[in-house]
Amino acid sequence: MSSETIGFVGLGGMGSGLVRNLVAKSDYPVTVYDLDDAKMAAAVENGAERGRSIVDIAASSSIFAICVTTAEVVQALSLGKGGILSAMPKGSVFLDHTTVSPEHVDVMSRACEEQGVFYAEAPMTRTPMHAQRGEVNVLFGGEEALLERLRPVFDAYAENIFHVGPVGHATRLKLIHNYIAFANVATWCEGFALAAHEGLDMSKVIGIISAAGGKSGMMDLYGEATLKRDFTPHMSLSNAQKDVRYYAEWIEQAGLPGFMAQTVHQTYALASIMGHGDEGCSAVIKAYEALSGVEAHLDEK
């Protein structure tokens, strides 16, 4: 049995898959917590232990992993009197799988150092389906020695582990990746809406684009589903908006122009204000459709 004990908070689309594979493929004892009792019950059924509280898990774990929605949630749970960090043993690891901001990484790194805890920056790419299969990509920023300590954990649920560079670099690269991906979705959703407005055959639209330079990974994942009106939230629109917001704030702080970033962020913000935040990211098309009075869909054969 490994000497490491794992605590895991956040059993959403990604976290539930990570825990499932941790329990199945490693010899680590894994204790979990989530506000959703049904998700807790599912994890326990798969072999995890039910935690009494987040702080209790933090106090009893040598590696405490968190995979929640935003940097703001991580900090609210972690910092200050009675927070996660105050309960963690010295020498333990705070493993942050949340997609956060560069500023957040700086804040958490300093706070962890003050507590004698190692901060591990490890955002992921790919989808909840990949998490369930144990095929996520982990982007790690930090010292090689810490990565080697965590590698057996990552091996349970990652197909690829990328050592991006020093702490802070993994989050920066993840935000660049997600911005490009979600900007791509917004772009082809705009094009689809225009094509529908002009009466084009949508099967030809997606077929020809996918056979040429407009082809993309995000279109491969979500393009046809979008035109079939399937907005299952594998990657929710609200999370897309959050990631693009972090990117837009970061590029502004870096002193670089971010015209496209602001436009993409406001496009997702509009769709979210219209009530589509809990749908899949390609539901951004509904903002374009509402303004143009059309619905882009594949005709039934």
Side-chain angles (χ1 to χ4, degrees):
M1 180 68 70
S2 167
S3 60
E4 303 278 19
T5 54
I6 312 297
F8 203 106
V9 169
L11 301 175
M14 297 296 282
S16 61
L18 304 190
V19 167
R20 179 174 177 270
N21 281 284
L22 261 178
V23 172
K25 299 177 185 178
S26 76
D27 61 359
Y28 296 121
V30 181
T31 306
V32 299
Y33 187 85
D34 193 277
L35 292 175
D36 188 328
D37 194 63
K39 292 176 180 176
M40 286 261 283
V44 170
E45 186 175 346
N46 285 329
E49 295 293 324
R50 180 187 292 267
R52 290 183 299 177
S53 72
I54 295 176
V55 171
D56 282 345
I57 294 174
S60 60
S61 301
S62 61
I63 298 174
F64 178 90
I66 188 165
C67 187
V68 291
T69 51
T70 68
E72 292 81 1
V73 171
V74 176
Q75 290 185 33
L77 293 173
S78 304
L79 305 179
K81 185 177 180 181
I84 290 166
L85 282 180
S86 67
M88 292 183 67
K90 293 188 183 302
S92 59
V93 179
F94 187 101
L95 174 54
D96 198 346
H97 273 315
T98 308
T99 298
V100 293
S101 64
E103 181 181 18
H104 168 89
V105 174
D106 294 341
V107 169
M108 290 303 299
S109 294
R110 289 194 299 268
C112 285
E113 185 176 6
E114 290 172 2
Q115 292 292 327
V117 171
F118 296 102
Y119 179 71
E121 176 207 24
M124 299 169 289
T125 62
R126 296 186 169 171
T127 69
M129 293 178 288
H130 293 97
Q132 288 295 326
R133 297 197 297 260
E135 297 174 353
V136 301
N137 293 326
V138 170
L139 282 59
F140 178 82
E143 296 294 330
E144 181 69 31
L146 182 56
L147 174 58
E148 290 309 306
R149 178 175 174 182
L150 293 170
R151 191 175 294 277
V153 175
F154 297 155
D155 282 340
Y157 48 73
E159 181 175 10
N160 299 296
I161 304 165
F162 298 104
H163 191 180
V164 177
V167 66
H169 282 204
T171 289
R172 285 169 168 83
L173 183 51
K174 171 66 186 294
L175 289 179
I176 291 169
H177 168 274
N178 279 20
Y179 164 67
I180 292 171
F182 294 133
N184 181 258
V185 172
T187 299
W188 53 254
C189 282
E190 179 184 284
F192 284 179
L194 177 59
H197 182 271
E198 297 298 302
L200 275 66
D201 182 331
M202 297 307 298
S203 65
K204 289 185 171 61
V205 170
I206 190 170
I208 291 170
I209 292 173
S210 296
K215 176 181 172 67
S216 70
M218 293 300 276
M219 186 179 289
D220 288 346
L221 282 171
Y222 301 121
E224 185 173 343
T226 299
L227 294 178
K228 290 181 175 178
R229 314 307 293 175
D230 178 0
F231 299 103
T232 302
H234 302 299
M235 187 66 66
S236 75
L237 191 148
S238 61
N239 274 338
Q241 180 193 351
K242 177 262 297 185
D243 292 354
V244 175
R245 172 171 64 84
Y246 288 157
Y247 176 90
E249 291 170 348
W250 169 37
I251 197 170
E252 181 176 346
Q253 291 164 1
L256 296 175
F259 309 113
M260 291 179 63
Q262 292 296 339
T263 299
V264 174
H265 175 242
Q266 290 302 318
T267 302
Y268 279 97
L270 173 61
S272 184
I273 290 169
M274 293 170 65
H276 306 303
D278 291 335
E279 299 178 73
C281 61
S282 69
V284 70
I285 198 172
K286 294 183 178 182
Y288 296 112
E289 292 173 336
L291 294 172
S292 61
V294 299
E295 180 181 283
H297 60 84
L298 291 171
D299 291 329
E300 302 216 1
K301 300 295 185 182

